[in-house]
Coordinates of all heavy atoms in Angstrom, one line a residue:
M1 N 5.7 -59.9 2.7 CA 7.0 -59.9 3.3 C 8.0 -59.3 2.3 O 8.9 -58.5 2.7 CB 7.4 -61.3 3.7 CG 8.8 -61.4 4.2 SD 8.7 -61.5 6.0 CE 10.3 -62.0 6.3
A2 N 7.9 -59.7 1.0 CA 8.8 -59.2 0.0 C 8.7 -57.7 -0.2 O 9.7 -57.0 -0.4 CB 8.6 -59.9 -1.3
V3 N 7.5 -57.2 0.0 CA 7.3 -55.7 -0.2 C 8.0 -55.0 1.0 O 8.6 -53.9 0.8 CB 5.7 -55.4 -0.2 CG1 5.5 -53.9 -0.2 CG2 5.1 -56.0 -1.4
A4 N 7.9 -55.5 2.1 CA 8.5 -54.9 3.3 C 10.0 -54.9 3.1 O 10.7 -53.9 3.4 CB 8.1 -55.6 4.6
V5 N 10.6 -55.9 2.6 CA 12.1 -56.0 2.4 C 12.5 -55.0 1.3 O 13.5 -54.3 1.4 CB 12.5 -57.4 2.0 CG1 13.9 -57.5 1.6 CG2 12.3 -58.4 3.2
A6 N 11.7 -54.9 0.2 CA 12.0 -54.0 -0.9 C 11.9 -52.5 -0.3 O 12.8 -51.7 -0.7 CB 11.0 -54.2 -2.0
A7 N 10.9 -52.2 0.5 CA 10.8 -50.9 1.0 C 12.0 -50.6 2.0 O 12.5 -49.5 2.0 CB 9.5 -50.7 1.8
F8 N 12.3 -51.6 2.8 CA 13.5 -51.4 3.7 C 14.8 -51.1 3.0 O 15.6 -50.3 3.4 CB 13.6 -52.7 4.6 CG 14.6 -52.5 5.7 CD1 14.4 -51.7 6.8 CD2 15.8 -53.2 5.5 CE1 15.3 -51.6 7.8 CE2 16.8 -53.1 6.5 CZ 16.5 -52.3 7.6
V9 N 15.0 -51.8 1.8 CA 16.2 -51.6 1.1 C 16.2 -50.3 0.3 O 17.2 -49.6 0.1 CB 16.4 -52.8 0.1 CG1 17.6 -52.6 -0.8 CG2 16.6 -54.1 0.9
A10 N 15.0 -49.9 -0.2 CA 14.9 -48.7 -1.0 C 14.9 -47.4 -0.2 O 15.3 -46.4 -0.8 CB 13.6 -48.8 -1.8
A11 N 14.6 -47.4 1.0 CA 14.5 -46.2 1.8 C 15.9 -45.5 1.9 O 16.0 -44.3 1.7 CB 14.0 -46.5 3.2
P12 N 17.0 -46.2 2.2 CA 18.3 -45.5 2.3 C 18.7 -44.9 0.9 O 19.3 -43.9 0.8 CB 19.3 -46.5 2.8 CG 18.5 -47.5 3.4 CD 17.1 -47.5 2.7
A13 N 18.4 -45.6 -0.2 CA 18.7 -45.2 -1.5 C 17.9 -44.0 -1.9 O 18.4 -43.0 -2.5 CB 18.5 -46.3 -2.5
Y14 N 16.7 -43.9 -1.5 CA 15.8 -42.7 -1.8 C 16.4 -41.5 -1.0 O 16.3 -40.4 -1.6 CB 14.4 -43.0 -1.3 CG 13.4 -41.9 -1.6 CD1 13.0 -41.6 -2.9 CD2 13.0 -41.1 -0.6 CE1 12.2 -40.5 -3.2 CE2 12.1 -40.0 -0.8 CZ 11.7 -39.8 -2.1 OH 10.9 -38.7 -2.4
A15 N 16.9 -41.7 0.1 CA 17.4 -40.5 0.9 C 18.7 -39.9 0.3 O 19.0 -38.8 0.5 CB 17.7 -41.0 2.3
Q16 N 19.4 -40.7 -0.5 CA 20.6 -40.2 -1.1 C 20.4 -39.6 -2.5 O 21.4 -39.2 -3.1 CB 21.6 -41.3 -1.2 CG 22.0 -41.8 0.1 CD 23.0 -43.0 0.0 OE1 23.4 -43.4 -1.1 NE2 23.4 -43.6 1.2
M17 N 19.2 -39.5 -3.0 CA 18.9 -38.9 -4.3 C 19.2 -37.4 -4.3 O 19.0 -36.8 -3.3 CB 17.5 -39.2 -4.7 CG 17.2 -40.6 -5.1 SD 15.5 -40.9 -5.6 CE 15.4 -39.9 -7.1
P18 N 19.6 -36.9 -5.4 CA 19.9 -35.4 -5.5 C 18.6 -34.7 -5.4 O 17.5 -35.2 -5.7 CB 20.6 -35.3 -6.8 CG 20.1 -36.4 -7.6 CD 19.9 -37.5 -6.7
N19 N 18.7 -33.4 -5.1 CA 17.5 -32.5 -5.1 C 17.1 -32.2 -6.5 O 17.7 -31.4 -7.2 CB 17.8 -31.2 -4.3 CG 16.6 -30.4 -4.1 OD1 15.5 -30.8 -4.4 ND2 16.8 -29.2 -3.6
I20 N 16.0 -32.8 -6.9 CA 15.4 -32.6 -8.3 C 14.2 -31.8 -8.2 O 13.3 -32.2 -7.4 CB 15.2 -34.0 -9.0 CG1 16.5 -34.7 -9.1 CG2 14.5 -33.8 -10.3 CD1 16.3 -36.2 -9.6
N21 N 14.1 -30.7 -9.0 CA 12.9 -29.9 -9.0 C 11.9 -30.6 -10.0 O 12.1 -30.5 -11.2 CB 13.2 -28.5 -9.4 CG 12.0 -27.6 -9.3 OD1 11.0 -28.0 -8.8 ND2 12.3 -26.3 -9.6
L22 N 10.9 -31.2 -9.5 CA 9.9 -31.9 -10.3 C 8.9 -30.9 -10.9 O 8.1 -31.3 -11.8 CB 9.2 -33.0 -9.5 CG 10.1 -34.1 -9.0 CD1 9.3 -35.1 -8.1 CD2 10.8 -34.8 -10.1
M23 N 8.8 -29.7 -10.4 CA 7.9 -28.7 -10.9 C 8.7 -27.5 -11.4 O 9.0 -26.6 -10.6 CB 6.9 -28.2 -9.9 CG 5.9 -29.4 -9.4 SD 4.6 -28.8 -8.3 CE 5.5 -28.2 -6.9
P24 N 9.1 -27.5 -12.7 CA 10.0 -26.4 -13.1 C 9.4 -25.0 -13.1 O 10.1 -24.1 -13.0 CB 10.4 -26.9 -14.5 CG 9.3 -27.8 -14.9 CD 8.8 -28.4 -13.7
E25 N 8.1 -24.9 -13.1 CA 7.5 -23.6 -13.1 C 7.6 -23.0 -11.7 O 7.5 -21.8 -11.5 CB 6.0 -23.6 -13.6 CG 5.1 -24.4 -12.7 CD 5.1 -25.9 -13.1 OE1 5.7 -26.3 -14.0 OE2 4.3 -26.6 -12.4
V26 N 7.8 -23.8 -10.7 CA 7.9 -23.3 -9.3 C 9.4 -23.3 -9.0 O 10.0 -24.3 -8.9 CB 7.2 -24.2 -8.3 CG1 7.4 -23.7 -6.9 CG2 5.7 -24.2 -8.7
K27 N 10.0 -22.1 -8.9 CA 11.4 -21.9 -8.6 C 11.7 -22.0 -7.1 O 11.0 -21.3 -6.4 CB 11.9 -20.6 -9.2 CG 11.7 -20.4 -10.7 CD 12.5 -21.4 -11.5 CE 12.3 -21.1 -13.0 NZ 12.8 -22.1 -13.8
S28 N 12.7 -22.7 -6.7 CA 13.0 -22.7 -5.3 C 14.1 -21.7 -5.1 O 14.9 -21.4 -6.0 CB 13.6 -24.1 -4.9 OG 14.7 -24.4 -5.7
K29 N 14.1 -21.0 -4.0 CA 15.0 -19.9 -3.7 C 16.3 -20.5 -3.0 O 16.2 -21.4 -2.1 CB 14.4 -18.9 -2.8 CG 13.3 -18.1 -3.5 CD 12.7 -17.0 -2.7 CE 11.6 -16.3 -3.4 NZ 11.1 -15.2 -2.6
T30 N 17.4 -19.8 -3.3 CA 18.6 -20.2 -2.6 C 18.7 -19.5 -1.3 O 17.8 -18.6 -1.0 CB 19.9 -19.8 -3.4 OG1 19.9 -18.3 -3.6 CG2 19.9 -20.4 -4.8
Q31 N 19.6 -19.8 -0.4 CA 19.7 -19.2 0.9 C 20.0 -17.7 0.8 O 19.5 -16.9 1.5 CB 20.8 -19.9 1.8 CG 20.8 -19.4 3.2 CD 19.5 -19.6 3.9 OE1 18.9 -20.6 3.7 NE2 19.2 -18.7 4.8
E32 N 20.8 -17.4 -0.2 CA 21.1 -15.9 -0.5 C 19.9 -15.1 -0.9 O 19.7 -14.0 -0.4 CB 22.2 -15.8 -1.6 CG 22.7 -14.4 -1.8 CD 23.8 -14.4 -2.9 OE1 24.8 -15.1 -2.7 OE2 23.6 -13.6 -3.8
E33 N 19.1 -15.7 -1.7 CA 17.8 -15.0 -2.1 C 16.9 -14.9 -0.9 O 16.2 -13.9 -0.8 CB 17.1 -15.8 -3.2 CG 17.9 -15.7 -4.6 CD 17.3 -16.6 -5.6 OE1 16.7 -17.7 -5.3 OE2 17.4 -16.3 -6.8
K34 N 16.8 -15.9 -0.1 CA 16.0 -15.8 1.1 C 16.5 -14.7 2.1 O 15.7 -14.0 2.7 CB 16.0 -17.2 1.9 CG 15.2 -18.3 1.1 CD 15.3 -19.6 1.8 CE 14.7 -20.7 1.1 NZ 14.8 -22.0 1.7
D35 N 17.8 -14.6 2.2 CA 18.4 -13.6 3.0 C 18.0 -12.2 2.5 O 17.7 -11.3 3.2 CB 19.9 -13.7 3.2 CG 20.2 -15.0 4.0 OD1 19.4 -15.5 4.7 OD2 21.4 -15.4 3.8
Q36 N 18.1 -12.0 1.2 CA 17.8 -10.8 0.5 C 16.3 -10.4 0.7 O 16.0 -9.3 1.0 CB 18.1 -10.8 -1.0 CG 19.6 -10.8 -1.3 CD 19.9 -10.9 -2.8 OE1 19.0 -11.2 -3.6 NE2 21.1 -10.8 -3.2
D37 N 15.5 -11.4 0.6 CA 14.0 -11.2 0.9 C 13.8 -10.7 2.3 O 12.9 -9.9 2.6 CB 13.2 -12.4 0.5 CG 13.1 -12.7 -1.0 OD1 13.4 -11.8 -1.8 OD2 12.7 -13.8 -1.3
A38 N 14.5 -11.3 3.2 CA 14.3 -11.0 4.6 C 14.7 -9.6 4.9 O 14.1 -8.8 5.6 CB 15.1 -12.0 5.5
V39 N 15.8 -9.1 4.3 CA 16.3 -7.8 4.4 C 15.3 -6.8 3.8 O 15.0 -5.7 4.4 CB 17.7 -7.6 3.8 CG1 18.1 -6.1 3.7 CG2 18.8 -8.4 4.6
A40 N 14.8 -7.1 2.6 CA 13.8 -6.3 2.0 C 12.6 -6.2 2.8 O 12.0 -5.1 2.9 CB 13.5 -6.8 0.6
Q41 N 12.1 -7.3 3.4 CA 10.9 -7.2 4.2 C 11.1 -6.4 5.5 O 10.2 -5.6 5.8 CB 10.5 -8.7 4.6 CG 9.2 -8.8 5.3 CD 8.0 -8.5 4.4 OE1 8.1 -8.6 3.2 NE2 6.9 -8.2 5.1
K42 N 12.3 -6.5 6.1 CA 12.6 -5.7 7.3 C 12.6 -4.2 6.9 O 12.1 -3.3 7.6 CB 13.9 -6.1 7.9 CG 14.2 -5.3 9.2 CD 15.5 -5.8 9.8 CE 15.8 -5.2 11.1 NZ 15.6 -3.7 11.2
A43 N 13.2 -3.8 5.7 CA 13.2 -2.4 5.3 C 11.8 -1.9 5.0 O 11.5 -0.8 5.3 CB 14.1 -2.3 4.1
Y44 N 11.0 -2.8 4.5 CA 9.6 -2.4 4.2 C 8.8 -2.1 5.5 O 8.2 -1.1 5.6 CB 8.9 -3.5 3.4 CG 7.4 -3.3 3.2 CD1 6.9 -2.3 2.3 CD2 6.5 -4.0 3.9 CE1 5.6 -2.1 2.2 CE2 5.2 -3.9 3.7 CZ 4.7 -2.9 2.9 OH 3.4 -2.7 2.7
K45 N 9.0 -3.0 6.5 CA 8.3 -2.8 7.7 C 8.8 -1.5 8.4 O 8.1 -0.8 9.1 CB 8.5 -4.0 8.6 CG 7.6 -5.2 8.2 CD 7.8 -6.3 9.1 CE 6.9 -7.5 8.6 NZ 7.0 -8.6 9.5
D46 N 10.1 -1.2 8.3 CA 10.7 0.0 9.0 C 10.2 1.2 8.3 O 9.9 2.2 8.9 CB 12.2 -0.1 8.9 CG 12.9 -1.1 9.8 OD1 12.2 -1.6 10.7 OD2 14.0 -1.4 9.6
S47 N 10.0 1.2 7.0 CA 9.5 2.3 6.2 C 8.0 2.6 6.6 O 7.6 3.7 6.6 CB 9.6 2.2 4.7 OG 8.8 1.1 4.3
L48 N 7.3 1.5 6.9 CA 5.9 1.7 7.3 C 5.8 2.3 8.6 O 4.8 3.1 8.9 CB 5.1 0.4 7.3 CG 4.8 -0.3 5.9 CD1 4.1 -1.6 6.1 CD2 4.0 0.7 5.1
S49 N 6.7 2.0 9.5 CA 6.7 2.6 10.9 C 7.0 4.1 10.8 O 6.7 4.8 11.8 CB 7.6 1.9 11.8 OG 8.9 2.1 11.4
K50 N 7.6 4.6 9.8 CA 8.0 6.0 9.7 C 6.9 6.9 9.2 O 6.9 8.1 9.3 CB 9.2 6.2 8.8 CG 10.5 5.6 9.3 CD 11.6 5.7 8.4 CE 12.9 5.0 8.9 NZ 14.0 5.0 7.9
I51 N 5.8 6.3 8.7 CA 4.7 7.1 8.2 C 3.9 7.6 9.3 O 3.5 6.8 10.2 CB 3.8 6.2 7.3 CG1 4.5 5.7 6.0 CG2 2.5 6.9 6.8 CD1 3.8 4.7 5.2
P52 N 3.7 8.9 9.4 CA 2.9 9.5 10.5 C 1.5 9.1 10.5 O 0.9 8.9 9.4 CB 3.1 11.0 10.4 CG 3.3 11.2 8.9 CD 4.1 9.9 8.5
D53 N 0.8 9.1 11.6 CA -0.6 8.8 11.7 C -1.4 10.0 11.2 O -1.1 11.1 11.5 CB -1.0 8.5 13.1 CG -0.4 7.2 13.7 OD1 -0.1 6.3 12.8 OD2 -0.3 7.1 14.9
A54 N -2.4 9.7 10.4 CA -3.3 10.8 9.9 C -4.2 11.2 11.0 O -5.0 10.5 11.5 CB -4.1 10.2 8.7
K55 N -4.2 12.5 11.3 CA -5.0 13.1 12.3 C -6.3 13.7 11.7 O -7.3 13.8 12.5 CB -4.2 14.2 13.1 CG -3.0 13.6 13.7 CD -2.6 14.4 14.9 CE -1.3 14.0 15.5 NZ -1.1 12.7 15.9
T56 N -6.3 14.0 10.5 CA -7.5 14.5 9.9 C -8.1 13.5 8.9 O -7.4 12.6 8.4 CB -7.2 15.9 9.1 OG1 -6.3 15.6 8.1 CG2 -6.7 16.9 10.1
S57 N -9.3 13.8 8.5 CA -10.0 12.9 7.5 C -9.3 13.1 6.2 O -9.0 14.2 5.7 CB -11.4 13.2 7.4 OG -12.1 12.5 6.4
S58 N -9.2 12.0 5.4 CA -8.6 12.1 4.1 C -9.7 12.0 3.0 O -9.5 11.6 1.9 CB -7.6 10.9 3.9 OG -8.3 9.7 4.0
D59 N -10.9 12.4 3.4 CA -12.0 12.4 2.5 C -11.9 13.6 1.5 O -12.1 14.8 2.0 CB -13.3 12.5 3.3 CG -14.6 12.4 2.4 OD1 -14.4 12.1 1.2 OD2 -15.7 12.6 2.9
P60 N -11.7 13.4 0.2 CA -11.5 14.6 -0.7 C -12.8 15.3 -0.9 O -12.8 16.5 -1.2 CB -11.1 13.9 -2.0 CG -11.5 12.5 -1.9 CD -11.5 12.2 -0.5
W61 N -14.0 14.7 -0.6 CA -15.3 15.4 -0.8 C -15.8 15.9 0.5 O -17.0 16.4 0.6 CB -16.3 14.5 -1.5 CG -15.9 14.2 -2.9 CD1 -15.2 13.1 -3.3 CD2 -16.3 14.9 -4.0 NE1 -15.1 13.2 -4.7 CE2 -15.8 14.3 -5.2 CE3 -17.1 16.1 -4.2 CZ2 -16.0 14.8 -6.4 CZ3 -17.3 16.5 -5.5 CH2 -16.7 15.9 -6.6
G62 N -15.0 15.9 1.5 CA -15.5 16.3 2.9 C -16.0 17.7 2.9 O -16.9 18.1 3.6
A63 N -15.3 18.6 2.2 CA -15.6 20.0 2.2 C -16.8 20.3 1.4 O -17.5 21.3 1.5 CB -14.4 20.9 1.8
V64 N -17.1 19.5 0.4 CA -18.2 19.7 -0.5 C -19.5 19.2 0.1 O -20.6 19.8 0.0 CB -18.0 18.9 -1.9 CG1 -19.1 19.1 -2.8 CG2 -16.7 19.5 -2.5
R65 N -19.5 18.1 0.7 CA -20.7 17.5 1.3 C -21.0 18.2 2.6 O -20.2 18.7 3.3 CB -20.5 16.0 1.6 CG -20.8 15.1 0.5 CD -20.6 13.7 0.9 NE -19.2 13.4 0.5 CZ -18.5 12.4 1.0 NH1 -19.1 11.6 1.9 NH2 -17.3 12.2 0.7
S66 N -22.3 18.1 3.0 CA -22.7 18.6 4.3 C -23.4 17.4 5.0 O -23.8 16.4 4.4 CB -23.7 19.8 4.1 OG -24.9 19.3 3.5
D67 N -23.6 17.6 6.3 CA -24.2 16.5 7.1 C -25.7 16.5 7.0 O -26.4 15.7 7.5 CB -23.8 16.6 8.5 CG -22.3 16.3 8.7 OD1 -21.8 15.6 7.8 OD2 -21.7 16.7 9.7
A68 N -26.3 17.5 6.3 CA -27.8 17.7 6.3 C -28.4 16.5 5.5 O -29.4 16.0 6.0 CB -28.2 19.0 5.6
P69 N -27.9 16.0 4.4 CA -28.6 14.9 3.8 C -28.6 13.6 4.6 O -29.6 12.9 4.6 CB -27.8 14.6 2.5 CG -27.1 15.9 2.2 CD -26.9 16.5 3.6
K70 N -27.7 13.4 5.5 CA -27.7 12.2 6.4 C -28.9 12.3 7.4 O -29.5 11.4 7.6 CB -26.4 12.1 7.1 CG -25.2 11.8 6.3 CD -24.0 11.7 7.1 CE -22.8 11.4 6.2 NZ -21.5 11.4 7.0
A71 N -29.1 13.5 7.9 CA -30.2 13.7 8.9 C -31.5 13.7 8.2 O -32.5 13.3 8.8 CB -30.0 15.0 9.6
A72 N -31.6 14.2 6.9 CA -32.9 14.2 6.2 C -33.2 13.0 5.5 O -34.2 12.9 4.8 CB -32.9 15.4 5.2
A73 N -32.4 11.9 5.6 CA -32.7 10.7 4.9 C -34.0 10.1 5.5 O -34.2 10.0 6.7 CB -31.5 9.7 5.1
R74 N -34.8 9.7 4.5 CA -36.1 9.1 4.9 C -36.0 7.6 4.8 O -35.3 7.0 4.0 CB -37.2 9.5 3.9 CG -37.4 11.0 4.0 CD -38.5 11.4 3.0 NE -38.4 12.8 2.7 CZ -38.7 13.4 1.6 NH1 -39.1 12.6 0.6 NH2 -38.6 14.6 1.4
P75 N -36.7 6.9 5.7 CA -36.7 5.4 5.6 C -37.3 5.0 4.2 O -38.2 5.6 3.7 CB -37.5 4.9 6.8 CG -38.3 6.1 7.2 CD -37.6 7.3 6.8
A76 N -36.7 4.0 3.6 CA -37.2 3.5 2.4 C -38.6 2.9 2.5 O -38.9 2.1 3.4 CB -36.2 2.5 1.8
K77 N -39.5 3.2 1.5 CA -40.8 2.6 1.5 C -40.7 1.2 1.0 O -40.0 0.9 0.1 CB -41.7 3.4 0.6 CG -42.0 4.8 1.1 CD -42.9 5.6 0.2 CE -43.1 7.0 0.7 NZ -44.0 7.7 -0.3
P78 N -41.5 0.3 1.6 CA -41.5 -1.1 1.0 C -42.1 -1.1 -0.4 O -43.1 -0.4 -0.6 CB -42.3 -1.9 2.0 CG -43.1 -0.9 2.8 CD -42.4 0.4 2.7
K79 N -41.5 -1.8 -1.3 CA -42.0 -1.8 -2.6 C -43.2 -2.8 -2.7 O -43.1 -3.9 -2.1 CB -40.9 -2.2 -3.6 CG -39.8 -1.2 -3.7 CD -38.8 -1.6 -4.7 CE -37.7 -0.5 -4.8 NZ -36.8 -0.8 -5.9
T80 N -44.2 -2.4 -3.4 CA -45.3 -3.3 -3.5 C -45.3 -3.8 -5.0 O -45.0 -3.1 -5.9 CB -46.7 -2.6 -3.2 OG1 -46.8 -1.5 -4.1 CG2 -46.7 -2.2 -1.8
K81 N -45.8 -5.0 -5.1 CA -45.8 -5.6 -6.5 C -47.1 -5.2 -7.1 O -48.2 -5.1 -6.5 CB -45.8 -7.1 -6.4 CG -44.5 -7.7 -5.9 CD -44.4 -9.1 -6.0 CE -43.1 -9.7 -5.6 NZ -43.0 -11.1 -5.7
T82 N -47.0 -4.8 -8.4 CA -48.2 -4.4 -9.2 C -48.2 -5.2 -10.5 O -47.2 -5.7 -10.9 CB -48.1 -2.9 -9.5 OG1 -47.0 -2.6 -10.2 CG2 -48.2 -2.1 -8.2
G83 N -49.3 -5.2 -11.1 CA -49.4 -5.9 -12.4 C -49.6 -7.3 -12.3 O -50.1 -7.9 -11.3
S84 N -49.1 -8.1 -13.3 CA -49.3 -9.5 -13.4 C -48.4 -10.3 -12.3 O -48.8 -11.4 -12.0 CB -49.0 -10.0 -14.8 OG -47.6 -9.7 -15.1
T85 N -47.4 -9.7 -11.9 CA -46.5 -10.4 -10.9 C -47.2 -10.4 -9.5 O -46.9 -11.3 -8.7 CB -45.1 -9.8 -10.8 OG1 -45.3 -8.4 -10.4 CG2 -44.4 -9.9 -12.1
A86 N -48.1 -9.5 -9.2 CA -48.8 -9.4 -7.9 C -49.8 -10.5 -7.8 O -50.1 -11.0 -6.7 CB -49.4 -8.1 -7.7
Q87 N -50.3 -11.0 -8.9 CA -51.4 -12.0 -8.9 C -50.8 -13.4 -8.6 O -51.5 -14.3 -8.1 CB -52.1 -12.0 -10.2 CG -52.9 -10.7 -10.4 CD -53.5 -10.7 -11.8 OE1 -53.3 -11.6 -12.6 NE2 -54.1 -9.6 -12.2
G88 N -49.5 -13.6 -8.9 CA -48.9 -14.9 -8.6 C -49.2 -15.8 -9.8 O -49.8 -15.5 -10.8
S89 N -48.7 -17.0 -9.8 CA -48.8 -17.9 -10.8 C -50.1 -18.7 -10.6 O -50.4 -19.2 -9.5 CB -47.6 -18.8 -11.0 OG -47.5 -19.6 -9.8
Q90 N -50.9 -19.0 -11.7 CA -52.1 -19.7 -11.5 C -52.1 -20.9 -12.3 O -51.7 -21.2 -13.2 CB -53.3 -18.8 -12.0 CG -53.4 -17.6 -11.1 CD -54.5 -16.7 -11.6 OE1 -55.2 -17.0 -12.6 NE2 -54.7 -15.6 -11.0

């Protein structure tokens, strides 16, 4: 019962405490800084929408390579174990 009374009395006092940053390495932002971040984020998204879509491939080696090696690719042969590892542990 005494704990409940102490909690009941302490709750309003806890609500009136000032805003204390208990983790100084984590900085909280002011409303002005939040507004500036929102404006910067909107400008960033607007700039991304101005970039035209790439219609051609951006592969720098595209003119050097040919499609022949892709067609001539052979399936990999399964590797077989040889030597002492093929016998297993005895």
Side-chain angles (χ1 to χ4, degrees):
M1 176 101 167
V3 174
V5 171
F8 184 74
V9 172
Y14 180 73
Q16 295 177 3
M17 289 183 61
N19 186 9
I20 299 174
N21 190 359
L22 298 177
M23 295 187 301
E25 64 274 358
V26 178
K27 303 289 183 192
S28 60
K29 293 185 177 182
T30 63
Q31 185 62 34
E32 183 177 307
E33 290 173 331
K34 290 177 185 177
D35 293 341
Q36 288 175 351
D37 287 346
V39 169
Q41 187 68 22
K42 184 179 182 315
Y44 172 73
K45 287 182 180 182
D46 289 344
S47 68
L48 287 181
S49 66
K50 293 178 185 177
I51 298 173
D53 293 334
K55 299 204 187 301
T56 61
S57 175
S58 62
D59 185 10
W61 289 92
V64 177
R65 275 185 267 159
S66 65
D67 290 337
K70 291 180 184 176
R74 298 181 198 146
K77 293 181 182 177
K79 294 184 179 182
T80 58
K81 293 185 177 181
T82 59
S84 63
T85 59
Q87 295 172 0
S89 60
Q90 295 179 2

